[in-house]
Amino acid sequence: MRRLLSTLIACLSCQAWAAGSDYQLTPLPIAEGVYSFIGEQADFTPSNGGNIVNTGFIVGTEGVVVIDTGPSRRYGEQMRAAIARITPKPIALVINTHHHPDHFLGNQAFADAPIGALAETGKGIASEGDAFAENLFRLTGDWMSGTELKAPDQTLQAGPLKAGGRSLILLALKGHTDADLAVFDEDSATLFAGDLVFNLRAPTTPHANLTHWKDTLQALDAFMKDHRVRALVPGHGPIARDARPIAWTRDWLTWLDRSLRESAAEGLDMNETLARPLPEAYRDIPVSGAEYRRSVGHLFPAAETHSLQHNN
Amino acid sequence: MIKLASTLACAILLTTAVTPPVLATERPTDPLDSPRWSDMEKGMLSGAPYVFDTRVRVDAPGTAENPLNVPITIDATALADVKEILVFADFNPILEILRFYPDAAPAYIGFRAKLQQSTPVRAAVRTGDGVWHVGGTLVNTVGGGCTAPSMGSTSSEWQKRLNEVTTRTWNEGPMSGRLRMRIIHPMDTGLIAGIPPFHLESVVLSDEAGHPLARLEVSQPVSENPVFTLSRGSTTGALQAHGRDNNGNTFNVRIPQ
Ligand SMILES: [Zn+2]
């Protein structure tokens, strides 16, 4: 009995150890030289350590382009180690698609490489990065130890970019935040859409402008057709070989926008809006209830303002 | 003696639905089990008789993602003869959030508040007999709501729009009788060095003839650019709203039906 117990304890602590330090990052091959690390479709928790995001890398003739670096220093280090198991080539460029913490807090592991982002993204990371990191500490715990802010040191612009010997097209867009970068790899026709596209995982909206975001999705849809995109890597959720995640994201945002406006027009207050049930189709979508509630907090005040009339 | 006994019986009859008001020797147990309750009882209710009463409904999210904008709805319409509703949060640095006097309006109010940390949010509802009926709910939050600067105090836009009022009334359907009112105001708490308290202090709603419908005493924890949800009950016609902040700025608006 005592032996059984100690085995159990050993096992438990071994699991706890595994849960607390190893993200078990396995690169998913998408095309020749193109890989992604697919995160869980969940909220930030102490068990997933914030690994709820998709990151990726592209191996060129001269070096590696890294797209987003995950939620912590540890994630960045493990990502870099996983890349090194695929290729010995140096890191040519790290790209942060936007200023949300699960996309740039692994930057420290790439401090010796150039780290690029749109100008607004750089500003957002500099001003809000520390608060984001603090919040992730609170939500995930020990996984974050040693994580410090490492802001991008290069400003990226829309248009073609040669990096690591690979031909990329950078798309400077907005809607999920004020500055969202999508990265297109010409050789493989792979589009890394960042958080502009969610796939079967409820979109997050802390800095969203739904009108801009929906316009951007339309532009991305057109880009997919024009450039015959063969693989689409969303910021969260499984990768796709077609444009369905774009339509899926647009449908969610359209429903959310309409639902909040209707709610405000009907005279509901925030608590009543929070209590509204999700449509049948979204009830089983990962974290849909939690993201809806967060979105009400972010977006309902504007919908409400819209529904009121001036008296003075 | 006989008279006293019958008065007592009457009191018991009236209060069978709830715990009787506290006597000096027995104190009701706080259903939210807050270590601050005895302070609240003394400080907020000044030792007046009270009961915890589930007929006072306090609705707020169990987990509030944004401590600057925690939606709170108080519904005490199940109680008769409501004179005053006092809303407070046990663990806020400024305890009192607002007081609502539903003179001729139903005892119902919704608004948003800033919470500094996880806390019980309470509504103490005073009825005509002088007894406070206390309801409440726990709100978990990451905190910081009271010591974060308002958007207003960090931009200059509000100065042009201070006390700008937007409203809407609903006269039919499920929300018939509802009034929503938003007032542009930074609602600075005074808890941040260099930013003095600057907040809406009172709002009085009256009917077209000037009879008071409801009065609000607003404290700093009410969120920036407050939005109030009220019910006008059976009062018809246009309404008037008069407001004043702690710096003496006022507004006076007519709200068409
Ligand atoms: Zn994001």
Side-chain angles (χ1 to χ4, degrees):
Chain A
M1 185 60 206
R2 185 170 286 178
R3 180 139 178 217
L4 179 63
L5 201 66
S6 70
T7 317
L8 264 173
I9 290 166
C11 201
L12 279 172
S13 59
C14 131
Q15 261 188 357
W17 179 83
S21 68
D22 188 355
Y23 285 104
Q24 312 204 326
L25 298 179
T26 314
L28 173 73
I30 291 172
E32 186 64 43
V34 181
Y35 301 84
S36 180
F37 299 99
I38 304 296
E40 270 181 44
Q41 292 169 58
D43 266 330
F44 296 114
T45 63
S47 71
N48 64 36
N51 180 14
I52 64 165
V53 62
N54 300 339
T55 60
F57 63 98
I58 306 171
V59 184
T61 49
E62 293 146 32
V64 180
V65 176
V66 173
I67 297 155
D68 286 337
T69 59
S72 67
R73 173 188 192 144
R74 203 172 283 174
Y75 182 103
E77 287 167 353
Q78 290 173 17
M79 181 184 182
R80 189 159 186 176
I83 294 170
R85 286 194 287 274
I86 300 280
T87 175
K89 288 177 183 157
I91 306 295
L93 175 67
V94 174
I95 294 174
N96 292 148
T97 57
H98 64 294
H99 84 297
H100 284 161
D102 44 335
H103 298 261
F104 70 82
L105 281 175
N107 282 1
Q108 263 171 304
F110 301 93
D112 56 334
I115 301 178
L118 293 171
E120 281 301 311
T121 302
K123 278 186 215 161
I125 289 175
S127 68
E128 294 188 78
D130 280 327
F132 287 154
E134 213 172 282
N135 199 32
L136 275 197
F137 257 105
R138 194 178 54 77
L139 293 170
T140 68
D142 194 44
W143 293 88
M144 293 288 296
S145 59
T147 302
E148 276 166 34
L149 191 61
K150 170 81 185 83
D153 46 31
Q154 317 256 316
T155 301
L156 300 176
Q157 256 130 27
L161 176 75
K162 276 265 189 227
R166 208 86 188 194
S167 298
L168 308 175
I169 298 176
L170 301 186
L171 306 174
L173 303 162
K174 61 183 174 179
H176 175 66
T177 68
D178 282 345
D180 299 293
L181 196 59
V183 180
F184 178 64
D185 173 57
E186 289 197 300
D187 283 349
S188 68
T190 302
L191 180 65
F192 286 86
D195 281 4
L196 288 168
V197 178
F198 282 69
N199 191 15
L200 303 171
R201 195 273 187 206
T204 64
T205 59
H207 301 90
N209 175 314
L210 298 187
T211 307
H212 291 163
W213 196 345
K214 284 187 280 179
D215 290 348
T216 289
L217 288 172
Q218 205 160 0
L220 274 183
D221 205 28
F223 184 92
M224 293 273 292
K225 289 194 186 84
D226 292 349
H227 291 77
R228 296 167 193 272
V229 172
R230 289 200 293 268
L232 172 61
V233 183
H236 300 263
I239 73 149
R241 301 287 171 182
D242 54 39
R244 269 183 296 182
I246 293 181
W248 191 86
T249 306
R250 189 181 50 220
D251 287 350
W252 172 282
L253 299 178
T254 304
W255 159 73
L256 180 64
D257 196 17
R258 191 180 344 109
S259 163
L260 297 181
R261 281 170 195 269
E262 275 173 10
S263 196
E266 285 166 17
L268 304 191
D269 76 359
M270 199 187 266
N271 276 323
E272 291 161 332
T273 304
L274 286 168
R276 285 179 69 159
L278 292 183
E280 196 77 39
Y282 291 145
R283 281 182 206 159
D284 295 329
I285 292 296
V287 295
S288 57
E291 292 303 351
Y292 169 69
R293 286 192 295 276
R294 283 192 276 262
S295 290
V296 169
H298 304 137
L299 304 170
F300 185 66
E304 179 180 71
T305 302
H306 212 79
S307 76
L308 304 176
Q309 293 132 15
H310 279 267
N311 293 89
N312 58 353
Chain B
M1 188 62 208
I2 286 167
K3 194 166 178 196
L4 178 62
S6 72
T7 316
L8 269 174
C10 183
I12 287 161
L13 259 182
L14 278 174
T15 55
T16 41
V18 296
T19 347
V22 259
L23 305 172
T25 48
E26 42 163 334
R27 294 167 57 205
T29 325
D30 174 17
L32 300 180
D33 199 21
S34 162
R36 297 272 292 145
W37 177 249
S38 65
D39 289 340
M40 296 301 106
E41 183 191 342
K42 285 179 217 115
M44 303 308 292
L45 306 182
S46 314
Y50 69 91
V51 288
F52 289 106
D53 192 332
T54 52
R55 289 175 297 177
V56 176
R57 289 194 43 206
V58 178
D59 191 12
T63 301
E65 305 282 346
N66 182 356
L68 292 170
N69 245 320
V70 182
I72 298 169
T73 309
I74 314 292
D75 184 349
T77 52
L79 286 173
D81 197 22
V82 171
K83 300 295 184 200
E84 177 181 359
I85 298 178
L86 164 60
V87 187
F88 59 94
D90 295 20
F91 285 98
N92 247 12
I94 299 168
L95 299 169
E96 183 172 322
I97 301 173
L98 62 75
R99 284 175 197 265
F100 176 53
Y101 302 89
D103 301 323
Y108 180 94
I109 185 166
F111 57 94
R112 299 195 278 272
K114 298 173 282 218
L115 297 181
Q116 181 67 8
Q117 58 181 300
S118 298
T119 178
V121 173
R122 320 249 191 194
V125 179
R126 185 170 54 82
T127 42
D129 56 3
V131 175
W132 290 99
H133 300 255
V134 183
T137 188
L138 280 173
V139 178
N140 288 301
T141 178
V142 298
C146 282
T147 49
S150 66
M151 300 300 282
S153 62
T154 54
S155 82
S156 59
E157 203 227 7
W158 67 266
Q159 287 171 320
K160 282 176 265 160
R161 300 179 58 195
L162 182 72
N163 283 334
E164 181 184 294
V165 179
T166 49
T167 61
R168 182 147 164 200
T169 55
W170 283 263
N171 299 311
E172 52 192 33
M175 293 301 150
S176 183
R178 178 163 286 194
L179 163 68
R180 306 199 74 214
M181 171 163 55
R182 178 175 187 261
I183 301 143
I184 303 277
H185 208 289
M187 298 299 292
D188 285 315
T189 56
L191 296 174
I192 303 156
I195 305 176
F198 181 38
H199 62 96
L200 195 64
E201 213 168 49
S202 88
V203 179
V204 177
L205 272 174
S206 40
D207 66 14
E208 240 172 342
H211 299 121
L213 179 66
R215 289 168 293 141
L216 276 163
E217 282 171 20
V218 186
S219 296
Q220 294 96 309
V222 169
S223 298
E224 178 176 8
N225 301 332
V227 181
F228 298 108
T229 302
L230 300 157
S231 176
R232 62 189 294 157
S234 54
T235 307
T236 52
L239 301 174
Q240 308 176 56
H242 173 73
R244 188 185 67 242
D245 68 23
N246 67 324
N247 281 12
N249 304 298
T250 60
F251 67 81
N252 245 317
V253 297
R254 184 175 182 276
I255 304 163
Q257 173 149 21

